[in-house]
Amino acid sequence: MKEPLLPVVVVGSATGDIVLKLPELSHDGEYWEAEEVDRQVGGCALNVARALCRQQTPVINGIFVGNGAWGKSVATEMENLGLRVTLRHPTKDNSWCFAMMKPDGKRIYVSVPGCDDAWNTEILATIPLPEQGFIYTSGYELANPTAGDLREWLLASPASLTLVLDFGPRLVDIDLEFIQALPVDRTMLSLNKDEIALLCGDGDPMIQANRYADEHGFTIIARVGAEGAWICQPNHQPEHVPAYKVRFEDGIGAGDAHCGGMLAGLSQGMSLRDAVDLGNRVAAIVVSLPGANGAPTKGNLNDFAFG
């Protein structure tokens, strides 16, 4: 008899994204006409939930839906994914991001905050926790000055749940005491090269991540772009999981896609190596398409022709 899939509790934000393409970034008093190249809903948590749902993984939805135009778009996307809306903010809309992109792909971002900072003990208590499974959240939530209750909720979560944390670029704003207080025996950190340098030290990402894992007890998934990923576990030799070759289009949401794919594999009972390999496959497909919402279905994954 096949074992049931383990659920993933996804806690975090959904955001609106508008991307404009400009010939160059403007200066004071200049007038430019822009091309709108993208308008979609994303955000780390929603991107991860999207990847999980498309891999038919059970998701417990801990993502806020706001009260406004972006909130309606987020609710529609959740409905399309088969996710039930469980958290609604009565007044604030979802946050959104305005990106101005030059022809070379470089961007300037302007963010408009929304309901993503509304975490408190009462709201977190409404999120049902499974007996076994995983909890995912990102650094965008953990770094928020008002996220003390969320951090305490994670630290107090049941020992049967594995924490999968992707600190992202907000790692620099996360209190080191919180990281040191995490239960290392059930915490996995997904880090890219820049985050490894910041948390573990400068130098070869694999060597530094492996050293940090040995010294602090965490399992680290070191994402190294086109080289794939390294699995670094305490008192183990690092294990390389190679990337899949695709034509690169857009790196937005690659880390989220990798987390979602890896969690889908772990939910199915895959070994950590096979789960990271699934994360590599999902992320490769996402970066071969524009935008962050290209996470594949199971059918897409099976049919996709890698280079």
Side-chain angles (χ1 to χ4, degrees):
M1 182 176 176
K2 191 174 181 179
E3 292 292 324
L5 300 179
L6 294 176
V8 181
V9 183
V10 179
V11 178
S13 63
T15 63
D17 292 307
I18 297 176
V19 181
L20 299 182
K21 190 173 185 179
L22 292 161
E24 62 180 89
L25 298 180
S26 60
H27 304 282
D28 289 347
E30 292 183 338
Y31 172 83
W32 292 97
E33 291 190 352
E35 174 191 358
E36 183 175 319
V37 296
D38 199 14
R39 181 186 292 256
Q40 62 181 355
V41 290
C44 293
L46 186 60
N47 290 339
V48 168
R50 182 187 284 124
L52 288 166
C53 289
R54 291 180 180 169
Q55 290 299 306
Q56 300 174 19
T57 304
V59 173
I60 295 174
N61 187 3
I63 303 172
F64 261 114
V65 175
N67 181 11
W70 284 113
K72 290 179 182 178
S73 296
V74 171
T76 298
E77 178 67 7
M78 288 183 175
E79 182 180 350
N80 292 338
L81 293 170
L83 283 176
R84 184 171 66 90
V85 175
T86 57
L87 299 178
R88 282 192 178 272
H89 198 282
T91 57
K92 290 184 177 180
D93 199 0
N94 286 82
S95 60
W96 62 283
C97 180
F98 182 77
M100 292 170 283
M101 181 176 69
K102 296 196 301 181
D104 62 4
K106 293 182 179 178
R107 306 181 184 207
I108 289 180
Y109 296 93
V110 179
S111 291
V112 180
C115 60
D116 314 280
D117 60 353
W119 303 106
N120 59 52
T121 303
E122 291 74 21
I123 288 170
L124 290 164
T126 68
I127 300 174
L129 296 179
E131 291 185 5
Q132 283 188 295
F134 305 88
I135 300 176
Y136 162 87
T137 195
S138 82
Y140 286 97
E141 282 68 50
L142 296 172
N144 196 302
T146 64
D149 286 351
L150 174 59
R151 293 189 287 267
E152 290 301 319
W153 180 79
L154 288 170
L155 295 176
S157 59
S160 58
L161 298 179
T162 298
L163 306 180
V164 178
L165 308 180
D166 182 358
F167 293 138
R170 294 300 304 275
L171 172 59
V172 67
D173 301 313
I174 297 174
D175 191 342
L176 187 59
E177 289 186 7
F178 166 73
I179 297 175
Q180 293 171 340
L182 287 164
V184 295
D185 58 328
R186 61 181 183 93
T187 298
M188 297 175 59
L189 305 180
S190 177
L191 305 172
N192 67 17
K193 291 180 181 179
D194 291 340
E195 295 145 19
I196 291 168
L198 186 61
L199 181 64
C200 309
D202 291 324
D204 182 277
M206 178 273 289
I207 293 173
Q208 295 293 52
N210 194 58
R211 178 191 57 78
Y212 193 90
D214 281 342
E215 292 178 358
H216 297 273
F218 290 107
T219 293
I220 296 177
I221 308 304
R223 308 189 319 268
V224 287
E227 302 166 42
W230 287 91
I231 300 171
C232 299
Q233 296 177 286
N235 304 313
H236 285 72
Q237 288 295 315
E239 186 173 7
H240 183 234
V241 186
Y244 288 81
K245 292 183 179 180
V246 295
R247 180 180 176 182
F248 182 84
E249 176 69 28
D250 190 332
I252 295 177
D256 304 334
H258 192 276
C259 272
M262 180 182 69
L263 280 164
L266 293 172
S267 168
Q268 297 171 35
M270 288 183 181
S271 68
L272 182 54
R273 190 196 189 285
D274 287 346
V276 171
D277 180 70
L278 180 57
N280 286 358
R281 292 169 66 197
V282 171
I285 293 175
V286 167
V287 302
S288 74
L289 301 167
N293 65 352
T297 64
K298 282 193 169 184
N300 297 147
L301 195 63
N302 292 332
D303 295 341
F304 191 87
F306 293 98

